[in-house]
Amino acid sequence: MTVKQRLDQIREKIEVAASRAGRNPDEIKLVAVSKKQSLDKIKDVLDEGILDFGESRVQELRDKYDSFEQEINWHMIGHLQRNKVKYLARMDKCKLIHSVDSLRLAKKINKRANMEDRQMNVLIQVNVAEDENKYGLMSEEVIDFLTEVSSFEYMKVKGLMTIAPYVDDPEEVRPYFRKLRELAVKIEAEKIPGVEMKELSMGMSNDLEVAIEEGATIVRVGSAIFGPRNYNK
Ligand SMILES: *Cc1c(COP(=O)(O)O)cnc(C)c1O
């Protein structure tokens, strides 16, 4: 299958899932996860009108960042080490960090954004499935965390992100997506100054439809767009 055929399929899935849930498909942003994919393949996806790309490692993002003239919106979706934040802060086109998972990291982002005289928009990664192998705050920790970071001037919280466990039947992970949305609703009711709950980043190649039915505003899709990743490179 060509990239265009794959993208057509995904766009169709997004539309069908959105309409099942009575939602407008235009509210759902498709982020193409380009980790371990070549520049040529990224170019094919860009040519199909996708302008949002996600990477999970800072070094790989840096390598790709300067290779394109287009106004790409880059998303950092992977676990972020504090000593790498400075590189992201220098990238104007790094529009959203999906993976804020500790107060120490948040402080570093706020500090580095200040040094670059910019605002960095972030999502808080929540480990709703309480999976020992995954990063993210526990659901019960999130409100205290947000209260702490709400005074940060240069780092702004726009919503939540989660990674569901990998399962064959995506129905199994529906409760986790639902929990993330319920948490966002609860947070909104707290009216924490400066904290927004506009975005829910959830759903990947295998489970994007279920995630959209449960309220995803951003889906992060890799292999279903690009084909399998090349881990040998
Ligand atoms: C790799 C990755 C994705 C995309 O996974 P696919 O199954 O290829 O769609 C989405 N989110 C995160 C955080 C990832 O690391």
Side-chain angles (χ1 to χ4, degrees):
M1 254 198 291
T2 64
V3 161
K4 181 175 187 320
Q5 286 167 328
R6 290 205 190 94
L7 268 172
D8 284 346
Q9 277 190 352
I10 292 160
R11 285 173 166 144
E12 168 87 22
K13 280 186 179 177
I14 291 173
E15 281 193 17
V16 170
S19 80
R20 261 201 305 268
R23 302 182 60 202
N24 178 354
D26 298 339
E27 292 167 10
I28 297 144
K29 172 161 288 172
L30 173 60
V31 172
V33 176
S34 48
K35 66 184 183 201
K36 308 275 179 196
Q37 304 287 358
S38 67
L39 298 179
D40 282 345
K41 277 201 154 169
I42 295 175
K43 184 164 182 313
D44 291 344
V45 176
L46 263 171
D47 288 345
E48 294 302 327
I50 299 287
L51 292 175
D52 288 83
F53 288 84
E55 287 286 337
S56 56
R57 297 166 137 265
V58 173
Q59 186 57 51
E60 194 173 341
L61 174 53
R62 289 177 76 196
D63 291 344
K64 288 171 176 169
Y65 189 85
D66 293 320
S67 304
F68 297 97
E69 284 169 11
Q70 292 92 331
E71 274 299 310
I72 291 180
N73 303 316
W74 289 102
H75 296 248
M76 176 63 197
I77 62 173
H79 179 63
L80 180 54
Q81 287 166 334
R82 280 174 293 139
N83 62 1
K84 303 276 171 62
V85 171
K86 55 180 179 281
Y87 304 114
L88 293 184
R90 289 177 199 141
M91 296 183 210
D92 296 338
K93 290 182 274 182
C94 177
K95 300 292 183 183
L96 189 63
I97 300 173
H98 293 227
S99 45
V100 171
D101 58 6
S102 76
L103 192 56
R104 293 165 83 202
L105 174 61
K107 284 180 177 163
K108 182 68 101 184
I109 293 170
N110 189 48
K111 181 176 162 196
R112 283 288 168 179
N114 181 2
M115 285 169 74
E116 301 296 331
D117 195 25
R118 64 176 292 196
Q119 176 181 311
M120 294 189 86
N121 293 332
V122 306
L123 307 178
I124 307 306
Q125 183 171 350
V126 187
N127 187 356
V128 271
E130 302 188 4
D131 179 341
E132 283 176 22
N133 302 311
K134 291 234 166 65
Y135 292 102
L137 298 182
M138 291 296 147
S139 304
E140 321 77 77
E141 299 173 329
V142 179
I143 288 179
D144 283 349
F145 177 90
L146 291 173
T147 308
E148 288 242 24
V149 305
S150 70
S151 61
F152 289 9
E153 255 184 275
Y154 303 94
M155 186 199 85
K156 291 296 166 197
V157 176
K158 300 294 174 186
L160 306 177
M161 177 271 224
T162 198
I163 305 173
Y166 186 85
V167 291
D168 287 329
D169 177 7
E171 282 301 327
E172 282 179 47
V173 293
R174 185 184 292 279
Y176 301 126
F177 296 142
R178 187 166 295 173
K179 277 188 183 154
L180 194 72
R181 190 194 44 191
E182 285 168 355
L183 180 60
V185 169
K186 193 171 151 199
I187 292 165
E188 269 183 330
E190 298 278 325
K191 301 209 184 309
I192 305 169
V195 169
E196 290 177 22
M197 285 289 124
K198 279 211 282 232
E199 306 292 353
L200 285 180
S201 170
M202 57 190 197
M204 320 200 324
S205 294
N206 189 47
D207 53 21
L208 71 114
E209 290 156 291
V210 172
I212 289 168
E213 287 168 17
E214 295 301 329
T217 64
I218 302 176
V219 289
R220 310 175 307 267
V221 181
S223 42
I225 296 176
F226 288 96
R229 284 182 276 276
N230 182 356
Y231 283 103
N232 302 318
K233 282 212 309 196

